[in-house]
Structures are given as structure tokens and as C-alpha cells.
Amino acid sequence: MPRDSERTSPWRLALQLGALLACVAVALSFPSMAPSPYELTVGIAILNYAVLSTSWNFVGGFTGYISLGHGAFAGLGAYTTGLLVTKAELPSFAALFVAAALVALLAVPVGYAALRVRGASFVIVSIALVLILLLVFQSWASFTGGSRGLVVPRPFPGMLRSEHHEVFYFLFLALLALALLAWWVIDRSRFGMGLKAIREDEDKAQSLGTPTYTYKLVVFVVSATFTALAGGLYGLWFGDLDPVFQFSILSGAYMVLMALLGGVRHLYGPLLGAVIVGYGLEYSKLEYGDTPLHLVFAGLLLGVVVMFMPDGVIPAVAGLLARVFKTGETSIREVTAAELRDEREAEPAPGSPDPKREVRQ
């Protein structure tokens, strides 16, 4: 039986449902409320960030493995989609799904090698993947376009630019909803419990019979697939790909920052982080042009998160509200070993009479 503090009250469920419906309504009506096509492109960029950070969170949030190289899968998704359209002459969205499938297949051997190490070694391996792909796609100019870039034909050539942006806004929104749904399903599954056991103590989880390596590899492939879909959709929308930008370590760093800011253990944490960081990045680029001030903004924000909100904005705000309203909700991680021992000692031993039952009799 769950404790009273673990049960979710009806008013809290209603509040959560109301907030979710309000956010969905705002997201669906944003294209009609945007004052100009530029604001709509900012909305698309933020949705792209949200999909990427949510995709990253399949690995980072569930297993605790910090990957700075997830930008490699986004770049592969974009370039593979573009090359399938320009070289193989596949339809745009058929190329998108074929590219995601190819990236998923490539993620199997990559994950097989990378997930054998942990901690800082895993971070270094993920960075190396981005740098290797950057060199390959920049040097293979006859196939990828190299530093000249790759121009991807628009999938809807007859549309006006504003209509083109609006269609892709809803496509990115649908992809985000699919990624959030997948994360929610995994979070409530037996598979998700095994992943979280890996995050808390991988060696103990393995000793208790959890196939840790298989679990890590599966969620790594799922994460790479969603990242590739986001990258491919971005390539179809933006239409101009450059290896320097598509295979950038900064892309992976932004994913990590967004997820950490919102809260990696919360479904909507990466989404909230993407809204804050994405808007800040786009605003700084608009106001300060090509100056590196957007990097300064990202660095300062990362410092604030690490120092004052290590678990993210959502857990910090939830903890503050719990203290203000004195809900008494807690996590089992906050219960000390001594308190657990006292609870076990207070429980009647098997076969012994229950003092409470004797008093009632």
C-alpha cells in the first residue's frame, strides 16, 4: 500500500492536467499568434532543441551517462536525409525515415564500443565520434559537398515561405510529442526500472540480475534514432547543411545544458530547458549578431544550474512549493538508514502477535 504522502491528490492531478492542456493549446495556436515569420522560425528552432534534448535524455536521464557527442547523430540524420534526397532521389520524408533507420543501425556498433566505458571515458568517446564525423564529412567533398555545404531541396516547393515554416512547426511539434510519449512509456515500464537501477548503482543492478549492457545499448539506439529524426527534419526545413555546424560539440553541450536546466529525471525537464536556453540563444544571436556572447550566456547559465539547481528547475520549484505548502511529500532517497532500521524494528516479527490487533480485541 502506498503511503499517504506518496498518493497524488485529485487537486494536484487536476492542476497538472490543466497546465498540460494550457501548454498544448499555446503550442498549437502559436503559428497563428506569431507576429511575423521570424518568430515562427524561432519557435521551430526551440522545438528542434526540445526534441534533441528529450532524445538525449533517453540516455542521460535514465542511465546517467553524459554524452557530449549526440550532435553526431543529429548531423548524420541531417546529412543522410539530404544525400538520400539529392543522390538517391528519394522522396523527402521517405529519405527521413530511411536515414533514421540507417543511423539506428550505425548506433548499434557505436554503442557496443562506447558503452563499455563509463564516466569521463564515455564523455571522451562521445566527443571523439563528433570530431571523426566532422573530418569525414568535411574532407569527402566530392560526396558530401565538404566546406561548400549541401543544399537540400524543399519538400514543398509550391508553398510560400511562411506556409513552409508553419508546416514544419507542426511536424516538429508532432515529433516532440512522440519523443515525450516514448520517454513516458519507458519511464513506467520494467525496462525503465532497470535503466534507473543502472543510474543509481550499475554494479549492484548487474549483481541483482539486470542485463545492464543490453539495456544501455537498447536505450542508446532509441536515443540515437530520435536524435537522427530531429536532425533529418531540420535538414529538410533549413535546406542548407554545413559539416562545421551539423557536427559541432556545441550541439551536444546544448542538449546537456537544456536537460540539466529543466531536470533530467522529469518528463518535461528537457522541454522546459529548451524553451529557456533556446530562446536565450536565439535572442542573443539576433541582438549581438556573430559575436560569441551567446556562448557566454550558455556558460553562465550552466554555472548557475550546477551551483544553485543541480537537479534542475522543475525539482527545485517542486521542492520550494512543498516547503511553502508543507505537503510533506518526500522521496525514499531522503529517508536515512537509521529511520529505515527503526521502521523494520517496529514491525512485528513473522508469527508474533500484533500489539495493535490485541488492543482492538
Coordinates of all heavy atoms in Angstrom, one line a residue, residues 234-291:
Y234 N 15.3 18.8 -39.4 CA 15.9 20.1 -39.5 C 16.5 20.3 -40.9 O 16.5 21.4 -41.5 CB 17.0 20.2 -38.4 CG 17.8 21.5 -38.5 CD1 17.3 22.7 -37.8 CD2 19.0 21.6 -39.1 CE1 18.0 23.9 -37.9 CE2 19.7 22.8 -39.2 CZ 19.2 23.9 -38.6 OH 19.9 25.1 -38.6
G235 N 17.2 19.3 -41.4 CA 17.8 19.4 -42.7 C 16.8 19.7 -43.8 O 17.0 20.5 -44.7
L236 N 15.6 19.1 -43.8 CA 14.6 19.3 -44.7 C 14.0 20.7 -44.6 O 13.6 21.3 -45.6 CB 13.4 18.3 -44.6 CG 13.8 16.8 -44.9 CD1 12.6 15.9 -44.7 CD2 14.2 16.7 -46.4
W237 N 13.9 21.2 -43.3 CA 13.4 22.5 -43.1 C 14.4 23.6 -43.5 O 14.0 24.5 -44.3 CB 13.0 22.7 -41.6 CG 12.7 24.1 -41.3 CD1 11.7 24.9 -41.8 CD2 13.4 24.9 -40.3 NE1 11.7 26.1 -41.2 CE2 12.7 26.2 -40.3 CE3 14.5 24.7 -39.5 CZ2 13.2 27.2 -39.5 CZ3 14.9 25.7 -38.7 CH2 14.3 27.0 -38.6
F238 N 15.6 23.5 -43.0 CA 16.6 24.6 -43.2 C 17.1 24.6 -44.6 O 17.3 25.6 -45.3 CB 17.7 24.5 -42.2 CG 18.5 25.7 -42.1 CD1 18.1 26.8 -41.5 CD2 19.8 25.7 -42.6 CE1 18.8 28.0 -41.4 CE2 20.6 26.8 -42.5 CZ 20.1 28.0 -41.9
G239 N 17.4 23.3 -45.1 CA 17.8 23.2 -46.5 C 19.2 23.5 -46.9 O 19.6 23.3 -48.0
D240 N 20.1 23.9 -45.9 CA 21.5 24.2 -46.2 C 22.3 23.6 -45.1 O 22.3 24.1 -43.9 CB 21.7 25.7 -46.3 CG 23.0 26.1 -46.9 OD1 23.8 25.1 -47.2 OD2 23.3 27.3 -47.0
L241 N 23.1 22.6 -45.4 CA 23.9 21.9 -44.3 C 25.3 22.2 -44.5 O 25.9 22.2 -45.6 CB 23.6 20.4 -44.5 CG 22.2 19.9 -44.4 CD1 22.1 18.4 -44.6 CD2 21.5 20.3 -43.1
D242 N 26.0 22.3 -43.3 CA 27.4 22.6 -43.3 C 28.0 21.7 -42.2 O 27.5 21.7 -41.1 CB 27.7 24.1 -42.9 CG 29.2 24.4 -43.1 OD1 30.0 23.6 -42.7 OD2 29.5 25.6 -43.5
P243 N 29.1 20.9 -42.5 CA 29.6 20.0 -41.5 C 30.1 20.7 -40.2 O 29.9 20.1 -39.1 CB 30.9 19.4 -42.2 CG 30.6 19.6 -43.7 CD 29.8 20.8 -43.8
V244 N 30.6 21.9 -40.3 CA 31.0 22.6 -39.1 C 29.9 22.8 -38.1 O 30.1 22.7 -36.9 CB 31.7 24.0 -39.5 CG1 32.0 24.8 -38.3 CG2 32.9 23.7 -40.4
F245 N 28.7 23.1 -38.6 CA 27.6 23.3 -37.7 C 26.8 22.0 -37.4 O 26.3 21.9 -36.3 CB 26.6 24.3 -38.4 CG 27.2 25.7 -38.5 CD1 27.6 26.1 -39.8 CD2 27.3 26.6 -37.5 CE1 28.2 27.4 -39.9 CE2 27.9 27.8 -37.6 CZ 28.3 28.2 -38.8
Q246 N 26.7 21.1 -38.4 CA 26.0 19.9 -38.1 C 26.7 18.9 -37.2 O 26.1 18.2 -36.4 CB 25.7 19.2 -39.4 CG 24.9 20.0 -40.4 CD 23.6 20.6 -39.8 OE1 23.3 21.7 -40.0 NE2 22.8 19.7 -39.2
F247 N 28.1 18.9 -37.2 CA 28.9 18.1 -36.4 C 29.7 19.0 -35.4 O 30.9 19.0 -35.4 CB 29.8 17.2 -37.2 CG 29.0 16.3 -38.1 CD1 28.9 16.6 -39.5 CD2 28.5 15.1 -37.6 CE1 28.2 15.7 -40.3 CE2 27.8 14.3 -38.5 CZ 27.6 14.6 -39.8
S248 N 28.9 19.6 -34.6 CA 29.5 20.6 -33.6 C 29.4 20.0 -32.2 O 28.3 19.5 -31.8 CB 28.9 21.9 -33.7 OG 29.3 22.8 -32.6
I249 N 30.5 20.1 -31.4 CA 30.4 19.7 -30.0 C 29.4 20.6 -29.2 O 28.8 20.1 -28.3 CB 31.8 19.8 -29.4 CG1 32.7 18.8 -30.1 CG2 31.8 19.4 -27.9 CD1 34.2 18.8 -29.6
L250 N 29.3 21.8 -29.7 CA 28.3 22.7 -29.0 C 26.9 22.2 -29.1 O 26.1 22.4 -28.1 CB 28.4 24.1 -29.7 CG 29.6 25.0 -29.4 CD1 29.5 26.3 -30.1 CD2 29.7 25.2 -27.9
S251 N 26.5 21.5 -30.1 CA 25.2 20.9 -30.2 C 24.9 19.9 -29.1 O 23.9 20.0 -28.4 CB 25.0 20.2 -31.5 OG 25.1 21.1 -32.6
G252 N 25.9 19.0 -28.8 CA 25.8 18.1 -27.7 C 25.8 18.8 -26.4 O 25.0 18.4 -25.4
A253 N 26.6 19.9 -26.3 CA 26.7 20.6 -25.0 C 25.3 21.3 -24.7 O 24.9 21.4 -23.6 CB 27.8 21.6 -25.0
Y254 N 24.7 21.8 -25.8 CA 23.4 22.5 -25.6 C 22.4 21.5 -25.1 O 21.5 21.8 -24.3 CB 23.0 23.2 -26.9 CG 23.7 24.4 -27.2 CD1 23.9 24.8 -28.6 CD2 24.3 25.2 -26.2 CE1 24.6 25.9 -28.9 CE2 25.0 26.4 -26.6 CZ 25.2 26.7 -27.9 OH 25.9 27.8 -28.2
M255 N 22.4 20.3 -25.7 CA 21.4 19.2 -25.3 C 21.6 19.0 -23.8 O 20.6 18.9 -23.0 CB 21.6 18.0 -26.1 CG 21.4 18.0 -27.5 SD 21.6 16.4 -28.3 CE 22.1 16.9 -30.0
V256 N 22.8 18.8 -23.3 CA 23.1 18.5 -21.9 C 22.6 19.7 -21.1 O 22.0 19.5 -20.0 CB 24.6 18.3 -21.7 CG1 24.9 18.0 -20.2 CG2 25.0 17.0 -22.5
L257 N 22.9 20.9 -21.5 CA 22.5 22.1 -20.7 C 21.0 22.2 -20.5 O 20.5 22.4 -19.5 CB 23.1 23.3 -21.3 CG 22.7 24.7 -20.7 CD1 23.1 24.8 -19.3 CD2 23.3 25.8 -21.5
M258 N 20.3 22.0 -21.6 CA 18.9 22.1 -21.6 C 18.2 21.0 -20.7 O 17.3 21.3 -19.9 CB 18.3 21.9 -23.0 CG 18.7 23.1 -23.9 SD 18.2 22.7 -25.7 CE 19.0 24.1 -26.5
A259 N 18.7 19.8 -20.8 CA 18.2 18.7 -20.0 C 18.5 19.0 -18.5 O 17.6 18.8 -17.6 CB 18.8 17.4 -20.4
L260 N 19.7 19.4 -18.2 CA 20.1 19.6 -16.8 C 19.3 20.8 -16.2 O 18.9 20.8 -15.1 CB 21.6 19.9 -16.7 CG 22.6 18.8 -16.9 CD1 24.0 19.3 -16.9 CD2 22.3 17.7 -15.9
L261 N 19.1 21.8 -17.0 CA 18.4 23.0 -16.6 C 17.0 22.7 -16.1 O 16.5 23.1 -15.1 CB 18.4 24.1 -17.6 CG 17.6 25.4 -17.3 CD1 18.2 26.1 -16.1 CD2 17.6 26.3 -18.5
G262 N 16.2 21.9 -17.0 CA 14.9 21.6 -16.6 C 14.8 20.5 -15.6 O 13.9 20.5 -14.7
G263 N 15.7 19.5 -15.7 CA 15.7 18.3 -14.8 C 15.6 17.1 -15.6 O 14.6 16.8 -16.2
V264 N 16.7 16.3 -15.5 CA 16.9 15.1 -16.3 C 15.9 14.0 -15.9 O 15.7 13.1 -16.7 CB 18.3 14.6 -16.3 CG1 19.2 15.6 -17.0 CG2 18.8 14.3 -14.9
R265 N 15.4 14.0 -14.7 CA 14.6 12.9 -14.2 C 13.1 13.3 -14.3 O 12.3 12.5 -13.8 CB 14.9 12.6 -12.7 CG 16.4 12.2 -12.5 CD 16.6 11.8 -11.1 NE 18.0 11.4 -10.9 CZ 18.5 10.8 -9.9 NH1 17.7 10.4 -8.9 NH2 19.8 10.5 -9.8
H266 N 12.8 14.3 -15.0 CA 11.4 14.7 -15.2 C 11.1 14.7 -16.7 O 11.9 15.1 -17.5 CB 11.2 16.1 -14.7 CG 9.7 16.5 -14.4 ND1 8.9 16.8 -15.5 CD2 9.0 16.5 -13.3 CE1 7.7 17.1 -15.0 NE2 7.7 16.9 -13.7
L267 N 9.9 14.3 -17.0 CA 9.4 14.2 -18.4 C 9.6 15.5 -19.1 O 10.1 15.5 -20.3 CB 8.0 13.7 -18.4 CG 7.3 13.7 -19.8 CD1 8.0 12.7 -20.7 CD2 5.8 13.3 -19.7
Y268 N 9.2 16.6 -18.5 CA 9.2 17.9 -19.2 C 10.4 18.7 -18.9 O 10.5 19.9 -19.3 CB 7.9 18.7 -18.8 CG 6.6 17.9 -19.1 CD1 5.8 17.5 -18.1 CD2 6.2 17.7 -20.4 CE1 4.6 16.8 -18.4 CE2 5.1 17.0 -20.7 CZ 4.3 16.6 -19.7 OH 3.1 15.9 -20.0
G269 N 11.4 18.1 -18.2 CA 12.6 18.9 -17.9 C 13.3 19.4 -19.1 O 13.6 20.6 -19.2
P270 N 13.7 18.5 -20.1 CA 14.4 18.9 -21.3 C 13.6 19.9 -22.1 O 14.1 20.8 -22.7 CB 14.6 17.6 -22.0 CG 14.6 16.6 -21.0 CD 13.6 17.0 -20.0
L271 N 12.3 19.8 -22.1 CA 11.4 20.7 -22.8 C 11.5 22.1 -22.2 O 11.7 23.1 -22.9 CB 10.0 20.2 -22.8 CG 8.9 21.2 -23.4 CD1 9.2 21.5 -24.8 CD2 7.5 20.5 -23.3
L272 N 11.4 22.2 -20.9 CA 11.5 23.5 -20.2 C 12.9 24.1 -20.5 O 13.0 25.3 -20.7 CB 11.2 23.3 -18.7 CG 11.4 24.6 -17.9 CD1 10.4 25.7 -18.4 CD2 11.2 24.3 -16.4
G273 N 13.9 23.3 -20.3 CA 15.3 23.8 -20.6 C 15.4 24.3 -22.0 O 16.1 25.3 -22.2
A274 N 14.8 23.6 -23.0 CA 14.9 24.0 -24.4 C 14.2 25.4 -24.6 O 14.7 26.2 -25.4 CB 14.3 22.9 -25.3
V275 N 13.1 25.6 -23.9 CA 12.4 26.9 -24.1 C 13.3 28.0 -23.5 O 13.5 29.0 -24.2 CB 11.1 26.8 -23.4 CG1 10.4 28.2 -23.4 CG2 10.1 25.8 -24.0
I276 N 13.9 27.8 -22.4 CA 14.7 28.8 -21.7 C 16.0 29.1 -22.5 O 16.3 30.2 -22.9 CB 15.0 28.5 -20.3 CG1 13.7 28.4 -19.5 CG2 16.0 29.5 -19.7 CD1 13.9 27.9 -18.1
V277 N 16.7 28.0 -22.7 CA 18.0 28.1 -23.4 C 17.9 28.5 -24.9 O 18.6 29.3 -25.4 CB 18.8 26.8 -23.3 CG1 20.2 26.9 -24.0 CG2 19.1 26.5 -21.8
G278 N 16.9 27.8 -25.6 CA 16.7 28.1 -27.0 C 16.3 29.6 -27.2 O 16.8 30.2 -28.1
Y279 N 15.4 30.1 -26.4 CA 15.0 31.5 -26.6 C 16.2 32.4 -26.3 O 16.4 33.4 -27.0 CB 13.8 31.8 -25.6 CG 13.4 33.3 -25.8 CD1 12.6 33.7 -26.8 CD2 13.8 34.2 -24.9 CE1 12.2 35.0 -27.0 CE2 13.4 35.6 -25.0 CZ 12.6 35.9 -26.0 OH 12.2 37.2 -26.2
G280 N 17.0 32.1 -25.2 CA 18.1 32.9 -24.9 C 19.2 32.9 -26.0 O 19.7 34.0 -26.4
L281 N 19.4 31.7 -26.6 CA 20.4 31.7 -27.7 C 19.9 32.5 -28.9 O 20.7 33.2 -29.6 CB 20.6 30.2 -28.1 CG 21.4 29.3 -27.1 CD1 21.4 27.9 -27.5 CD2 22.8 29.9 -26.8
E282 N 18.6 32.3 -29.3 CA 18.1 33.0 -30.5 C 18.1 34.5 -30.2 O 18.4 35.3 -31.2 CB 16.7 32.5 -30.8 CG 16.7 31.0 -31.2 CD 17.5 30.7 -32.4 OE1 17.6 31.5 -33.4 OE2 18.2 29.7 -32.5
Y283 N 17.8 34.9 -29.0 CA 17.7 36.3 -28.7 C 19.1 37.0 -28.8 O 19.3 38.0 -29.4 CB 17.1 36.6 -27.3 CG 17.1 38.0 -26.9 CD1 16.1 38.9 -27.4 CD2 18.1 38.5 -26.1 CE1 16.1 40.2 -27.0 CE2 18.1 39.8 -25.7 CZ 17.1 40.7 -26.1 OH 17.1 42.0 -25.7
S284 N 20.1 36.3 -28.2 CA 21.5 36.8 -28.2 C 22.0 36.8 -29.6 O 22.8 37.8 -30.0 CB 22.4 36.0 -27.3 OG 22.4 34.6 -27.8
K285 N 21.7 35.9 -30.5 CA 22.1 35.9 -31.9 C 21.5 37.0 -32.6 O 22.2 37.7 -33.4 CB 21.8 34.6 -32.6 CG 22.6 33.4 -32.1 CD 22.1 32.1 -32.7 CE 22.9 30.9 -32.2 NZ 22.4 29.6 -32.8
L286 N 20.2 37.3 -32.3 CA 19.6 38.5 -33.0 C 20.1 39.8 -32.6 O 20.4 40.7 -33.4 CB 18.1 38.4 -32.7 CG 17.2 39.6 -33.3 CD1 17.2 39.6 -34.8 CD2 15.8 39.5 -32.7
E287 N 20.4 40.0 -31.3 CA 20.8 41.2 -30.8 C 22.3 41.5 -31.0 O 22.7 42.6 -31.2 CB 20.5 41.3 -29.2 CG 19.0 41.4 -28.9 CD 18.4 42.7 -29.4 OE1 19.0 43.7 -29.4 OE2 17.2 42.6 -29.9
Y288 N 23.1 40.4 -30.9 CA 24.6 40.6 -30.9 C 25.2 40.0 -32.1 O 26.5 39.9 -32.2 CB 25.2 40.1 -29.6 CG 24.6 40.7 -28.4 CD1 23.7 40.0 -27.6 CD2 24.8 42.0 -28.1 CE1 23.1 40.6 -26.5 CE2 24.2 42.6 -26.9 CZ 23.4 41.9 -26.2 OH 22.8 42.4 -25.1
G289 N 24.4 39.5 -33.1 CA 25.0 39.1 -34.4 C 25.9 37.9 -34.2 O 25.6 36.9 -33.5
D290 N 27.1 38.0 -34.9 CA 28.0 36.8 -34.9 C 29.0 36.9 -33.7 O 29.9 36.1 -33.7 CB 28.8 36.9 -36.2 CG 27.9 36.7 -37.4 OD1 26.9 36.0 -37.2 OD2 28.2 37.2 -38.5
T291 N 28.8 37.7 -32.8 CA 29.7 37.7 -31.6 C 29.4 36.5 -30.8 O 28.4 35.9 -30.8 CB 29.4 39.0 -30.7 OG1 28.1 38.9 -30.2 CG2 29.6 40.2 -31.5

